[in-house]
Amino acid sequence: MWKGYIKYMVESALAASNEQLERVYASPLWATACHTVQSIVPDPHNYTHLALVGIALFFIIRIAVSFARGSGADYFTMDKVRRQAVATKRTFTPRELCEFNGKDESTPVYLAIRGIVYDVSKSRHMYGPQGPYCNFAGRDASRGLALSAFDESVLTDLDAPIDPLEELEKSEQAALDEWIEFFGGKYTPIGTLVEPLVESKKDQ
């Protein structure tokens, strides 16, 4: 009974074709989600259970949306983040990026991680002048995030080459990869960070 009810809710919430819906129902995540809801909420006639299943359906529909749009289980993977970055066009030198440090409230707040520039303006309270990550605003935050260090000592000089991060330990690289996935899922990549010399050659 629950599976049919859940399918009705998903089909009502999704503007998806039959082919996309078939992809949803064939996914292993769909079967797991239905089994989980049924085990947590055994009686659909209980109002308390109905409230619980409403919460569970929220997450199921999010899974369904992901598969219906073709993104599937790799929605927040590193490959997805890299594909987003490739589609962007603007490049920033370290000095150009520094102009978007959040001190001017009329401009957006950007930061870079592993060469990808993200717009973090919606979290200005975190990256703005009074925020806990204010030192990363307008800068390459890669090393700081990898080391879980948030002071200015982890920042590269604006006129120095971009930090290659070659000597990071495996645990630090893993921490940085987790941050990249997080930023790729929450913020919009709007460009790439380039060396000043590379930018100069492009203008010639």
Side-chain angles (χ1 to χ4, degrees):
M1 179 176 181
W2 271 125
K3 195 168 185 178
Y5 178 57
I6 295 169
K7 288 179 69 174
Y8 170 77
M9 292 291 292
V10 169
E11 290 173 14
S12 298
L14 282 177
S17 65
N18 290 334
E19 182 180 351
Q20 290 173 326
L21 289 172
E22 288 176 4
R23 187 185 305 140
V24 170
Y25 299 143
S27 69
L29 284 176
W30 170 257
T32 300
C34 289
H35 176 75
T36 301
V37 170
Q38 187 172 5
S39 62
I40 296 174
V41 190
D43 182 7
H45 301 291
N46 185 295
Y47 289 111
T48 301
H49 289 171
L50 284 177
L52 292 173
V53 81
I55 297 172
L57 281 174
F58 169 78
F59 293 101
I60 292 174
I61 291 174
R62 287 192 64 179
I63 294 170
V65 168
S66 178
F67 275 94
R69 291 178 177 172
S71 54
D74 70 337
Y75 189 71
F76 295 123
T77 64
M78 293 291 291
D79 286 340
K80 180 74 172 184
V81 172
R82 293 188 182 103
R83 287 198 296 272
Q84 287 179 318
V86 170
T88 61
K89 297 180 180 180
R90 181 168 181 182
T91 58
F92 298 82
T93 64
R95 284 202 173 275
E96 289 172 336
L97 181 63
C98 191
E99 297 175 6
F100 301 91
N101 57 15
K103 294 181 180 179
D104 182 350
E105 294 188 359
S106 66
T107 61
V109 184
Y110 298 160
L111 61 77
I113 308 175
R114 272 290 191 190
I116 303 175
V117 177
Y118 294 95
D119 184 345
V120 297
S121 302
K122 64 182 179 181
S123 297
R124 188 179 289 268
H125 62 291
M126 300 293 289
Y127 300 96
Q130 306 302 320
Y133 305 117
C134 61
N135 288 332
F136 291 161
R139 304 298 295 269
D140 181 359
S142 304
R143 179 170 294 276
L145 294 175
L147 302 179
S148 297
F150 309 108
D151 54 84
E152 293 184 354
S153 65
V154 296
L155 300 177
T156 303
D157 187 85
L158 294 176
D159 295 317
I162 295 174
D163 190 347
L165 306 169
E166 293 175 347
E167 80 289 358
L168 290 181
E169 297 181 0
K170 288 184 177 180
S171 59
E172 295 167 344
Q173 182 59 60
L176 181 58
D177 286 343
E178 290 180 3
W179 276 109
I180 293 173
E181 290 190 27
F182 169 78
F183 274 81
K186 184 172 182 178
Y187 302 110
T188 302
I190 49 85
T192 55
L193 185 66
V194 298
E195 304 279 3
L197 180 61
V198 174
E199 188 72 10
S200 298
K201 287 183 177 180
K202 289 172 65 178
D203 292 338
Q204 292 178 357

